[in-house]
Amino acid sequence: MLELAILGFLHDAPLHGYVLRRHIAALTGHVRPVAESTLYPAIKRLEKAGLLVRATEPGAVAAPRHVLSLTEQGRQDLRRRLADPGQREITDENQWFTLLAFLRHLEDPEAQAAVLRRRLAFLQEPASFFYDGDRPLAAEDLDDPFRRGVLTIARATSRAELAWLRDTLASLEGVGG
């Protein structure tokens, strides 16, 4: 997820590491804060793999700044990651949102639609946070108002996402078809 976010934000524009960290934190930080001890090793791995480059620019007030840019190989890798996400990137809400934030960089509407169809199929499977044996429980099955609240909120969120997915798929299929 972190590497995808780095590649995605650098596809938008070259960034200083500090600004990149702020952008990633804005997207995922409330759930998974990005520590420097995590971000900078990931940047170094991507740089070593030839997916991004670092250039030194004069600082506005003091020391020179290192600005990160995506290479063509990095753009290709981002498109590959977007076109063929892992199952966790489809099923884990936080990873899904990171993927979704950059899906526009996958320029083929059919490829975008294929990713959205995977998410749609996942959301249409019966599921719950709570079970009676193997049977998923609905909000109406629970006496606990807090667990009922979890399921009520999740249902509303799922309905909104399902509606958005269906509308967006119809739009993409109209463009590609």
Side-chain angles (χ1 to χ4, degrees):
M1 181 176 77
L2 177 60
E3 288 184 1
L4 180 67
I6 292 168
L7 295 172
F9 280 121
L10 291 179
H11 187 286
D12 293 337
L15 296 170
H16 179 267
Y18 174 76
V19 175
L20 178 62
R21 183 171 173 236
R22 280 196 349 238
H23 286 348
I24 294 170
L27 180 62
T28 65
H30 67 286
V31 176
R32 294 187 176 114
V34 180
E36 287 184 22
S37 62
T38 304
L39 177 63
Y40 290 103
I43 289 171
K44 286 183 188 271
R45 280 192 309 275
L46 294 170
E47 187 176 18
K48 186 176 179 182
L51 305 180
L52 59 91
V53 293
R54 182 186 315 246
T56 304
E57 294 182 353
V61 177
R65 296 167 32 112
H66 297 281
V67 176
L68 304 166
S69 299
L70 208 55
T71 64
E72 184 52 39
Q73 184 180 349
R75 290 179 193 287
Q76 290 173 7
D77 189 71
L78 174 62
R79 287 189 293 268
R80 179 193 58 76
R81 290 172 190 240
L82 293 170
D84 189 25
Q87 188 61 18
R88 280 189 58 204
E89 290 168 313
I90 297 295
T91 60
D92 179 272
E93 185 172 279
N94 299 310
Q95 290 190 33
W96 168 246
F97 283 158
T98 300
L99 177 72
L100 194 56
F102 303 108
L103 197 57
R104 69 189 175 95
H105 296 310
L106 186 58
E107 296 170 359
D108 175 22
E110 179 51 40
Q112 293 170 333
V115 173
L116 296 183
R117 281 192 291 271
R118 286 182 60 197
R119 178 68 176 184
L120 180 64
F122 164 71
L123 289 177
Q124 289 175 326
E125 294 174 13
S128 179
F129 297 108
F130 312 108
Y131 289 82
D132 180 10
D134 289 339
R135 183 178 69 88
L137 296 174
E140 298 76 21
D141 298 328
L142 298 171
D143 293 328
D144 180 335
F146 306 106
R147 285 190 170 192
R148 193 170 47 247
V150 167
L151 293 179
T152 300
I153 293 165
R155 180 187 299 157
T157 302
S158 290
R159 284 181 179 161
E161 186 175 355
L162 284 165
W164 176 83
L165 281 166
R166 289 181 182 117
D167 289 347
T168 304
L169 279 166
S171 173
L172 288 172
E173 290 163 352
V175 169

PDB file of all heavy atoms in Angstrom, residues 128-143:
ATOM      1  N   SER A 128     -20.504 -10.386   7.282  1.00  0.00           N
ATOM      2  CA  SER A 128     -20.836  -9.649   8.490  1.00  0.00           C
ATOM      3  C   SER A 128     -19.580  -9.578   9.342  1.00  0.00           C
ATOM      4  O   SER A 128     -18.596 -10.274   9.088  1.00  0.00           O
ATOM      5  CB  SER A 128     -21.952 -10.356   9.261  1.00  0.00           C
ATOM      6  OG  SER A 128     -22.257  -9.633  10.441  1.00  0.00           O
ATOM      7  N   PHE A 129     -19.623  -8.756  10.353  1.00  0.00           N
ATOM      8  CA  PHE A 129     -18.557  -8.749  11.344  1.00  0.00           C
ATOM      9  C   PHE A 129     -18.847  -9.767  12.436  1.00  0.00           C
ATOM     10  O   PHE A 129     -17.975 -10.132  13.207  1.00  0.00           O
ATOM     11  CB  PHE A 129     -18.421  -7.355  11.981  1.00  0.00           C
ATOM     12  CG  PHE A 129     -18.022  -6.292  11.004  1.00  0.00           C
ATOM     13  CD1 PHE A 129     -18.930  -5.334  10.579  1.00  0.00           C
ATOM     14  CD2 PHE A 129     -16.726  -6.243  10.501  1.00  0.00           C
ATOM     15  CE1 PHE A 129     -18.562  -4.344   9.687  1.00  0.00           C
ATOM     16  CE2 PHE A 129     -16.343  -5.253   9.605  1.00  0.00           C
ATOM     17  CZ  PHE A 129     -17.265  -4.301   9.191  1.00  0.00           C
ATOM     18  N   PHE A 130     -20.097 -10.199  12.499  1.00  0.00           N
ATOM     19  CA  PHE A 130     -20.555 -11.094  13.560  1.00  0.00           C
ATOM     20  C   PHE A 130     -21.313 -12.263  12.955  1.00  0.00           C
ATOM     21  O   PHE A 130     -22.068 -12.097  11.994  1.00  0.00           O
ATOM     22  CB  PHE A 130     -21.441 -10.327  14.546  1.00  0.00           C
ATOM     23  CG  PHE A 130     -20.823  -9.017  14.977  1.00  0.00           C
ATOM     24  CD1 PHE A 130     -21.329  -7.815  14.541  1.00  0.00           C
ATOM     25  CD2 PHE A 130     -19.703  -9.015  15.803  1.00  0.00           C
ATOM     26  CE1 PHE A 130     -20.744  -6.612  14.911  1.00  0.00           C
ATOM     27  CE2 PHE A 130     -19.111  -7.817  16.175  1.00  0.00           C
ATOM     28  CZ  PHE A 130     -19.623  -6.610  15.737  1.00  0.00           C
ATOM     29  N   TYR A 131     -21.137 -13.440  13.560  1.00  0.00           N
ATOM     30  CA  TYR A 131     -21.719 -14.666  13.010  1.00  0.00           C
ATOM     31  C   TYR A 131     -22.362 -15.501  14.097  1.00  0.00           C
ATOM     32  O   TYR A 131     -21.941 -15.477  15.250  1.00  0.00           O
ATOM     33  CB  TYR A 131     -20.633 -15.510  12.319  1.00  0.00           C
ATOM     34  CG  TYR A 131     -20.145 -14.906  11.027  1.00  0.00           C
ATOM     35  CD1 TYR A 131     -19.185 -13.906  11.024  1.00  0.00           C
ATOM     36  CD2 TYR A 131     -20.670 -15.328   9.819  1.00  0.00           C
ATOM     37  CE1 TYR A 131     -18.748 -13.334   9.842  1.00  0.00           C
ATOM     38  CE2 TYR A 131     -20.236 -14.765   8.625  1.00  0.00           C
ATOM     39  CZ  TYR A 131     -19.274 -13.773   8.648  1.00  0.00           C
ATOM     40  OH  TYR A 131     -18.859 -13.216   7.470  1.00  0.00           O
ATOM     41  N   ASP A 132     -23.353 -16.262  13.698  1.00  0.00           N
ATOM     42  CA  ASP A 132     -23.940 -17.312  14.517  1.00  0.00           C
ATOM     43  C   ASP A 132     -23.550 -18.600  13.812  1.00  0.00           C
ATOM     44  O   ASP A 132     -24.180 -18.991  12.822  1.00  0.00           O
ATOM     45  CB  ASP A 132     -25.459 -17.156  14.590  1.00  0.00           C
ATOM     46  CG  ASP A 132     -26.116 -18.232  15.446  1.00  0.00           C
ATOM     47  OD1 ASP A 132     -25.379 -18.980  16.126  1.00  0.00           O
ATOM     48  OD2 ASP A 132     -27.350 -18.336  15.414  1.00  0.00           O
ATOM     49  N   GLY A 133     -22.464 -19.215  14.278  1.00  0.00           N
ATOM     50  CA  GLY A 133     -21.893 -20.347  13.548  1.00  0.00           C
ATOM     51  C   GLY A 133     -21.338 -19.826  12.235  1.00  0.00           C
ATOM     52  O   GLY A 133     -20.504 -18.931  12.214  1.00  0.00           O
ATOM     53  N   ASP A 134     -21.847 -20.351  11.118  1.00  0.00           N
ATOM     54  CA  ASP A 134     -21.427 -19.895   9.787  1.00  0.00           C
ATOM     55  C   ASP A 134     -22.365 -18.852   9.193  1.00  0.00           C
ATOM     56  O   ASP A 134     -22.111 -18.320   8.120  1.00  0.00           O
ATOM     57  CB  ASP A 134     -21.354 -21.094   8.818  1.00  0.00           C
ATOM     58  CG  ASP A 134     -20.185 -22.005   9.120  1.00  0.00           C
ATOM     59  OD1 ASP A 134     -19.229 -21.539   9.767  1.00  0.00           O
ATOM     60  OD2 ASP A 134     -20.234 -23.189   8.711  1.00  0.00           O
ATOM     61  N   ARG A 135     -23.470 -18.562   9.896  1.00  0.00           N
ATOM     62  CA  ARG A 135     -24.473 -17.633   9.377  1.00  0.00           C
ATOM     63  C   ARG A 135     -24.114 -16.195   9.748  1.00  0.00           C
ATOM     64  O   ARG A 135     -23.993 -15.850  10.924  1.00  0.00           O
ATOM     65  CB  ARG A 135     -25.852 -17.983   9.957  1.00  0.00           C
ATOM     66  CG  ARG A 135     -26.981 -17.115   9.414  1.00  0.00           C
ATOM     67  CD  ARG A 135     -28.339 -17.535   9.974  1.00  0.00           C
ATOM     68  NE  ARG A 135     -28.487 -17.247  11.383  1.00  0.00           N
ATOM     69  CZ  ARG A 135     -28.937 -16.079  11.876  1.00  0.00           C
ATOM     70  NH1 ARG A 135     -29.278 -15.107  11.066  1.00  0.00           N
ATOM     71  NH2 ARG A 135     -29.047 -15.900  13.183  1.00  0.00           N
ATOM     72  N   PRO A 136     -23.946 -15.330   8.717  1.00  0.00           N
ATOM     73  CA  PRO A 136     -23.684 -13.921   9.018  1.00  0.00           C
ATOM     74  C   PRO A 136     -24.902 -13.284   9.681  1.00  0.00           C
ATOM     75  O   PRO A 136     -26.031 -13.552   9.286  1.00  0.00           O
ATOM     76  CB  PRO A 136     -23.418 -13.286   7.656  1.00  0.00           C
ATOM     77  CG  PRO A 136     -23.647 -14.324   6.622  1.00  0.00           C
ATOM     78  CD  PRO A 136     -23.984 -15.611   7.293  1.00  0.00           C
ATOM     79  N   LEU A 137     -24.662 -12.483  10.694  1.00  0.00           N
ATOM     80  CA  LEU A 137     -25.750 -11.812  11.402  1.00  0.00           C
ATOM     81  C   LEU A 137     -25.978 -10.423  10.818  1.00  0.00           C
ATOM     82  O   LEU A 137     -25.043  -9.703  10.486  1.00  0.00           O
ATOM     83  CB  LEU A 137     -25.429 -11.694  12.892  1.00  0.00           C
ATOM     84  CG  LEU A 137     -25.314 -13.021  13.650  1.00  0.00           C
ATOM     85  CD1 LEU A 137     -24.849 -12.778  15.078  1.00  0.00           C
ATOM     86  CD2 LEU A 137     -26.642 -13.766  13.628  1.00  0.00           C
ATOM     87  N   ALA A 138     -27.232 -10.035  10.728  1.00  0.00           N
ATOM     88  CA  ALA A 138     -27.623  -8.699  10.295  1.00  0.00           C
ATOM     89  C   ALA A 138     -27.860  -7.842  11.532  1.00  0.00           C
ATOM     90  O   ALA A 138     -28.009  -8.357  12.647  1.00  0.00           O
ATOM     91  CB  ALA A 138     -28.893  -8.777   9.449  1.00  0.00           C
ATOM     92  N   ALA A 139     -27.930  -6.550  11.347  1.00  0.00           N
ATOM     93  CA  ALA A 139     -28.162  -5.630  12.464  1.00  0.00           C
ATOM     94  C   ALA A 139     -29.430  -6.002  13.221  1.00  0.00           C
ATOM     95  O   ALA A 139     -29.473  -5.943  14.456  1.00  0.00           O
ATOM     96  CB  ALA A 139     -28.245  -4.198  11.950  1.00  0.00           C
ATOM     97  N   GLU A 140     -30.447  -6.412  12.489  1.00  0.00           N
ATOM     98  CA  GLU A 140     -31.730  -6.746  13.103  1.00  0.00           C
ATOM     99  C   GLU A 140     -31.646  -7.991  13.988  1.00  0.00           C
ATOM    100  O   GLU A 140     -32.520  -8.224  14.823  1.00  0.00           O
ATOM    101  CB  GLU A 140     -32.791  -6.973  12.013  1.00  0.00           C
ATOM    102  CG  GLU A 140     -33.069  -5.759  11.154  1.00  0.00           C
ATOM    103  CD  GLU A 140     -31.976  -5.479  10.107  1.00  0.00           C
ATOM    104  OE1 GLU A 140     -31.201  -6.395   9.749  1.00  0.00           O
ATOM    105  OE2 GLU A 140     -31.897  -4.323   9.677  1.00  0.00           O
ATOM    106  N   ASP A 141     -30.605  -8.794  13.827  1.00  0.00           N
ATOM    107  CA  ASP A 141     -30.435 -10.016  14.620  1.00  0.00           C
ATOM    108  C   ASP A 141     -29.804  -9.752  15.987  1.00  0.00           C
ATOM    109  O   ASP A 141     -29.749 -10.657  16.816  1.00  0.00           O
ATOM    110  CB  ASP A 141     -29.518 -11.013  13.873  1.00  0.00           C
ATOM    111  CG  ASP A 141     -30.094 -11.460  12.546  1.00  0.00           C
ATOM    112  OD1 ASP A 141     -31.335 -11.538  12.426  1.00  0.00           O
ATOM    113  OD2 ASP A 141     -29.298 -11.737  11.626  1.00  0.00           O
ATOM    114  N   LEU A 142     -29.339  -8.536  16.215  1.00  0.00           N
ATOM    115  CA  LEU A 142     -28.554  -8.251  17.421  1.00  0.00           C
ATOM    116  C   LEU A 142     -29.326  -7.404  18.426  1.00  0.00           C
ATOM    117  O   LEU A 142     -30.029  -6.462  18.053  1.00  0.00           O
ATOM    118  CB  LEU A 142     -27.266  -7.519  17.028  1.00  0.00           C
ATOM    119  CG  LEU A 142     -26.319  -8.300  16.112  1.00  0.00           C
ATOM    120  CD1 LEU A 142     -25.208  -7.403  15.627  1.00  0.00           C
ATOM    121  CD2 LEU A 142     -25.756  -9.508  16.831  1.00  0.00           C
ATOM    122  N   ASP A 143     -29.141  -7.741  19.698  1.00  0.00           N
ATOM    123  CA  ASP A 143     -29.692  -6.932  20.781  1.00  0.00           C
ATOM    124  C   ASP A 143     -28.712  -5.842  21.211  1.00  0.00           C
ATOM    125  O   ASP A 143     -29.120  -4.814  21.721  1.00  0.00           O
ATOM    126  CB  ASP A 143     -30.021  -7.820  22.000  1.00  0.00           C
ATOM    127  CG  ASP A 143     -31.160  -8.786  21.707  1.00  0.00           C
ATOM    128  OD1 ASP A 143     -32.055  -8.430  20.905  1.00  0.00           O
ATOM    129  OD2 ASP A 143     -31.146  -9.903  22.276  1.00  0.00           O
TER     130      ASP A 143
END
